[in-house]
Amino acid sequence: MYYKRTMGDDEGVSVQAIATTFEILETLRDRDGAGVTELATEVGVSKSAVYNHLSTLSALGYVTQENGRYRLTYGFLQLGLAIRERSPLYTASKSALQTLARTTNETVNLVVPEGTHGVYLYRVGGDEHPIPEGGQLALHASAAGKAILAFWDATRVKEFIEERGLPALTDGTVTDPAALRDQLRSIRDRRVAFDRGEQIPDWQCVASPVVVEGDPIGAVSVSGPADRMRGKRLEEDTTGLVVSTAKSIEISLLESDGRTNTV
Amino acid sequence: MYYKRTMGDDEGVSVQAIATTFEILETLRDRDGAGVTELATEVGVSKSAVYNHLSTLSALGYVTQENGRYRLTYGFLQLGLAIRERSPLYTASKSALQTLARTTNETVNLVVPEGTHGVYLYRVGGDEHPIPEGGQLALHASAAGKAILAFWDATRVKEFIEERGLPALTDGTVTDPAALRDQLRSIRDRRVAFDRGEQIPDWQCVASPVVVEGDPIGAVSVSGPADRMRGKRLEEDTTGLVVSTAKSIEISLLESDGRTNTV
DNA sequence: CCACCGCGTTTAGCCATAGAGAACAAACTT
DNA sequence: AAGTTTGTTCTCTATGGCTAAACGCGGTGG
């Protein structure tokens, strides 16, 4: 029995126990609770190992056991929200996004780049979005992602494409580098990006980037099911509102921010 | 050199590496980023140990390194928000709480019990609250906490008091068990709890519990600085709105919920 | 009613590995 | 340029994380 892990992704992982713990935690997140045996087979370690991890996490307050099943506690909410709260972009955007959600009557997202993917940092005005708040998204296949990519310099975009490729998430996903670059140029000029089912079928999206000192620290997007995001007037109006909201966030960031760092 | 940890809280911790990792993570959260040496002295382990932990966490995507400092990524947001999203109470409450925030023009909180403390599961309508969203609160020294305690049975309250005591957080904190029990009785009858600077000086609060099948799964609270939470009319109006909001959440939970579990 | 799973938990014990410590390199302050 | 201080790498070994096997219990079905 001597394959070490289920998968060989131990690149740079020097403390195995941590990798195991997070595999357990992620499984608990995805299944909304689980038992020891279940986790042991899923993660690929012995029952007693899982038990040790769980009891440790439980002693630390990150996991609870109720009626035989283990589940994550809100300790992770404390970790996650604390980081978000420290983001100047988030605090500067929040109320403007709420207003935008109310006037458009659609789901409004704040997306930030992290590494080579995007994160839904905040959402307001709807719960029907397929990717949950806090979840990740592909930068090349979403309006918000493209709005961010548009303000990266060419070499960085090149590296991004080389590293991640342009996998097709739907029929509409832009998979050709040249086509993507064309779009990015126009997005940079107009400050608007669109997504018509490139990320999720029948899901449309308008986004505008928030750029501080040339750096796209995030993007505001409005999204909804394709059948509701129709009509020229509405579309144009929404687009205008998204752009002006993003712009006003930029301005309020410049005002407040003398030396604090961005994002 | 043979004291093991800085503090001897290794009760039930059988995988030391996990405890170390979470100490590092919590330090990163509290300081909003830190360096290796800094963390090593703070946590009380060697630099190389910290380095190993950080590079592992970094490989797993929970930590990034930018310009020399390590900081938490939004991976924790994904863990934390995923749990919240699964809470029927949260999803059932959200829009009602937003409405409440708009009509009262004050900060509205949703608090849930976890173990022997409370957690601010959601907040809307203000950012001046001293305890951040996702943060913990003492059940005996807050309106929302007392609203929850009021619907625990006597033995559980007794155990709670024995385990945690009733530490005074301000001059106004209720520290006498008998006095607390008196308050709880009246809270259970009226379905309203008050906090006039018992948790934080000059910070007032009104709360009403959400009770499902006799179990207080959470509480709705409205809070603000003492000078703004004055005036009989406003106070009575607010109280009424809080109670009716909590009640309406109860009802919508009962409607949707046939067999799904609570909290 | 009892044998039988299945579960979470506990117990031994070996071997890997997590961590200490020192040496290194690069980025600073002086 | 010398002197600090940082992050990183290396080596080594006692620690502690992990496996395997056994335990106790609650539920199920014969």
Side-chain angles (χ1 to χ4, degrees), chain A residues 203-234:
Chain A
W203 193 261
Q204 300 209 351
C205 204
V206 192
S208 182
V210 176
V211 185
V212 173
E213 294 168 16
D215 191 32
I217 60 171
V220 176
S221 82
V222 169
S223 62
D227 53 353
R228 208 197 299 145
M229 297 286 281
R230 284 189 195 288
K232 259 211 183 134
R233 279 256 310 287
L234 175 122

Side-chain angles (χ1 to χ4, degrees), chain A residues 96-136:
Chain A
L97 298 181
Q98 286 166 356
T99 309
L100 182 60
R102 224 170 313 141
T103 53
T104 59
N105 240 315
E106 291 289 349
T107 305
V108 173
N109 297 287
L110 178 64
V111 172
V112 294
E114 183 156 82
T116 56
H117 60 258
V119 175
Y120 286 103
L121 188 62
Y122 180 60
R123 173 173 304 152
V124 60
D127 293 316
E128 36 178 5
H129 198 294
I131 302 179
E133 189 179 4
Q136 301 184 352

Side-chain angles (χ1 to χ4, degrees), chain A residues 242-257:
Chain A
V242 171
V243 174
S244 63
T245 302
K247 198 71 200 170
S248 78
I249 291 169
E250 268 182 24
I251 292 165
S252 68
L253 273 173
L254 288 176
E255 277 170 5
S256 64
D257 182 76

Side-chain angles (χ1 to χ4, degrees), chain A:
Chain A
M1 221 266 237
Y2 259 88
Y3 286 95
K4 229 0 165 352
R5 284 281 128 204
T6 342
M7 299 190 58
D9 254 60
D10 296 0
E11 209 59 30
V13 173
S14 58
V15 186
Q16 255 301 343
I18 300 178
T20 306
T21 278
F22 275 95
E23 270 188 77
I24 291 173
L25 291 172
E26 286 164 8
T27 309
L28 285 176
R29 148 162 64 76
D30 296 339
R31 308 205 173 175
D32 199 20
V36 175
T37 312
E38 189 181 349
L39 288 165
T41 58
E42 174 69 26
V43 177
V45 293
S46 69
K47 272 201 301 176
S48 56
V50 171
Y51 179 75
N52 286 334
H53 281 251
L54 287 174
S55 59
T56 303
L57 289 166
S58 172
L60 296 173
Y62 286 99
V63 153
T64 350
Q65 182 188 22
E66 44 196 31
N67 53 50
R69 289 181 81 70
Y70 288 89
R71 63 164 195 82
L72 302 183
T73 70
Y74 291 116
F76 291 101
L77 203 65
Q78 202 174 355
L79 279 170
L81 291 182
I83 311 161
R84 182 169 79 170
E85 214 70 42
R86 284 231 182 72
S87 156
L89 173 57
Y90 170 73
T91 51
S93 304
K94 203 172 172 182
S95 68
L97 298 181
Q98 286 166 356
T99 309
L100 182 60
R102 224 170 313 141
T103 53
T104 59
N105 240 315
E106 291 289 349
T107 305
V108 173
N109 297 287
L110 178 64
V111 172
V112 294
E114 183 156 82
T116 56
H117 60 258
V119 175
Y120 286 103
L121 188 62
Y122 180 60
R123 173 173 304 152
V124 60
D127 293 316
E128 36 178 5
H129 198 294
I131 302 179
E133 189 179 4
Q136 301 184 352
L137 59 113
L139 290 176
H140 73 289
S142 58
K146 289 190 289 184
I148 290 167
L149 283 180
F151 284 82
W152 283 5
D153 50 51
T155 64
R156 194 166 173 194
V157 173
K158 189 163 176 279
E159 285 167 18
F160 166 77
I161 294 174
E162 281 164 2
E163 192 179 332
R164 310 268 302 198
L166 299 178
L169 306 187
T170 70
D171 298 347
T173 306
V174 184
T175 54
D176 177 44
L180 180 63
R181 272 186 253 268
D182 276 358
Q183 280 201 22
L184 296 185
R185 203 169 311 129
S186 124
I187 292 168
R188 186 164 47 238
D189 291 344
R190 300 187 51 205
R191 294 216 155 218
V192 193
F194 295 96
D195 160 17
R196 299 176 191 284
E198 298 168 27
Q199 183 188 22
I200 292 147
D202 299 319
W203 193 261
Q204 300 209 351
C205 204
V206 192
S208 182
V210 176
V211 185
V212 173
E213 294 168 16
D215 191 32
I217 60 171
V220 176
S221 82
V222 169
S223 62
D227 53 353
R228 208 197 299 145
M229 297 286 281
R230 284 189 195 288
K232 259 211 183 134
R233 279 256 310 287
L234 175 122
E235 198 169 282
E236 280 167 13
D237 289 356
T238 305
T239 301
L241 286 168
V242 171
V243 174
S244 63
T245 302
K247 198 71 200 170
S248 78
I249 291 169
E250 268 182 24
I251 292 165
S252 68
L253 273 173
L254 288 176
E255 277 170 5
S256 64
D257 182 76
R259 57 218 61 88
T260 334
N261 28 357
T262 46
V263 173

Side-chain angles (χ1 to χ4, degrees), chain B residues 41-68:
Chain B
T41 58
E42 174 69 26
V43 177
V45 294
S46 69
K47 273 202 297 176
S48 58
V50 171
Y51 180 76
N52 287 335
H53 281 249
L54 287 173
S55 58
T56 303
L57 289 166
S58 172
L60 297 173
Y62 287 98
V63 154
T64 349
Q65 182 188 22
E66 45 195 30
N67 52 51

Side-chain angles (χ1 to χ4, degrees), chain A residues 74-75 77-79 81-82 85, chain B residues 29 110-112 114 117-123 129-138 199:
Chain A
Y74 291 116
L77 203 65
Q78 202 174 355
L79 279 170
L81 291 182
E85 214 70 42
Chain B
R29 149 162 63 75
L110 178 64
V111 172
V112 294
E114 183 155 83
H117 61 258
V119 175
Y120 286 103
L121 189 62
Y122 180 60
R123 172 173 304 152
H129 198 293
I131 302 180
E133 190 179 1
Q136 300 185 352
L137 59 112
Q199 183 187 21

